[in-house]
Amino acid sequence: GAGVSQSPSNKVTEKGKDVELRCDPISGHTALYWYRQSLGQGLEFLIYFQGNSAPDKSGLPSDRFSAERTGGSVSTLTIQRTQQEDSAVYLCASSLSGGAVSTDTQYFGPGTRLTVL
Amino acid sequence: GDSVTQMEGPVTLSEEAFLTINCTYTATGYPSLFWYVQYPGEGLQLLLKATKADDKGSNKGFEATYRKETTSFHLEKGSVQVSDSAVYFCALSDRQGAQKLVFGQGTRLTINP
């Protein structure tokens, strides 16, 4: 079946602009995660959605970052007033049950490479 | 907080060599442990996992054993192939709450024919 998809695959923007990154999880997966992969910081957790519960935003690096998940499916990560340090690959992952099952596997999308000039 | 430490890379080996990539972790609870692999131009894929002490995860000839006493999850393969060239990430997830993954810094492996 279809895996996790993300769009766009590449995004180049100017410092100070807002960007939106999209994630389509695997159908039927209730848990959705965003991570960031950058040269300086490695792979970092950003935010987690599970069903209708309040999201876990503990990994968001600043209030310029926000995310929403509509209808329990598609998620959008928004970065406002982008800075050069936001340049990274943003990865989305989904799992069947998330926190409800301790052994769930997270399946990753191909990522969006964001470059802030 | 929880953390994962991997051996420094890059690692370069000849085909059919024995591979070990060290991974140790620090966690307050009893995490699940994972190895993810990222092949050139592709996304992260789960390679293997272990969910409790003394469990052995295995896949594609790779193995790793969950060692609680040494807080380690070293990745091994007896005979590597050129196609194993990739970046390998060790990770843990807490059994509580979001079970977000905490990753090591990654080890780039290159296998020469």
Side-chain angles (χ1 to χ4, degrees):
Chain A
V4 178
S5 61
Q6 294 185 244
S7 61
S9 55
N10 279 286
K11 176 71 176 178
V12 179
T13 190
E14 293 179 347
K15 178 181 171 181
K17 301 277 189 173
D18 297 353
V19 295
E20 286 189 351
L21 312 179
R22 177 186 167 107
C23 171
D24 283 86
I26 293 172
S27 177
H29 280 194
T30 62
L32 187 147
Y33 303 77
W34 283 98
Y35 295 87
R36 178 169 71 173
Q37 186 174 20
S38 59
L39 279 176
Q41 302 297 324
L43 269 159
E44 310 169 274
F45 164 78
L46 296 177
I47 188 169
Y48 159 72
F49 296 90
Q50 170 59 48
N52 295 321
S53 303
D56 177 345
K57 304 179 182 179
S58 60
L60 294 180
S62 79
D63 58 7
R64 296 185 295 104
F65 288 72
S66 63
E68 62 178 21
R69 188 178 185 191
T70 54
S73 182
V74 172
S75 177
T76 302
L77 177 69
T78 301
I79 309 173
Q80 296 179 310
R81 305 181 302 281
T82 52
Q83 305 295 313
Q84 288 182 333
E85 62 262 27
D86 300 334
S87 295
V89 177
Y90 290 82
L91 297 171
C92 176
S94 71
S95 69
L96 194 57
S97 304
V101 177
S102 66
T103 59
D104 258 0
T105 295
Q106 292 182 31
Y107 295 89
F108 283 79
T112 293
R113 182 176 297 277
L114 174 66
T115 303
V116 181
L117 301 177
Chain B
D2 296 349
S3 66
V4 175
T5 302
Q6 286 181 238
M7 66 185 290
E8 294 281 337
V11 174
T12 302
L13 295 172
S14 298
E15 205 165 21
E16 299 184 2
F18 183 85
L19 168 71
T20 300
I21 301 178
N22 290 336
C23 171
T24 57
Y25 67 90
T26 302
T28 52
Y30 299 94
S32 295
L33 301 175
F34 306 82
W35 277 99
Y36 277 82
V37 59
Q38 192 170 33
Y39 296 104
E42 299 185 16
L44 273 172
Q45 303 174 24
L46 178 68
L47 180 59
L48 53 85
K49 67 181 182 183
T51 59
K52 61 183 187 295
D54 299 326
D55 266 4
K56 177 185 284 188
S58 61
N59 186 25
K60 299 182 179 180
F62 290 89
E63 292 183 340
T65 301
Y66 190 140
R67 301 286 188 200
K68 186 180 173 187
E69 63 276 14
T70 54
T71 62
S72 65
F73 193 56
H74 305 322
L75 183 68
E76 296 182 337
K77 186 174 185 181
S79 177
V80 293
Q81 305 300 313
V82 172
S83 57
D84 294 326
S85 298
V87 181
Y88 292 80
F89 293 91
C90 186
L92 65 80
S93 77
D94 197 314
R95 293 173 179 274
Q96 307 297 321
Q99 297 179 25
K100 55 185 179 267
L101 290 167
V102 175
F103 288 91
Q105 64 267 42
T107 301
R108 182 175 298 277
L109 174 67
T110 301
I111 307 299
N112 294 320

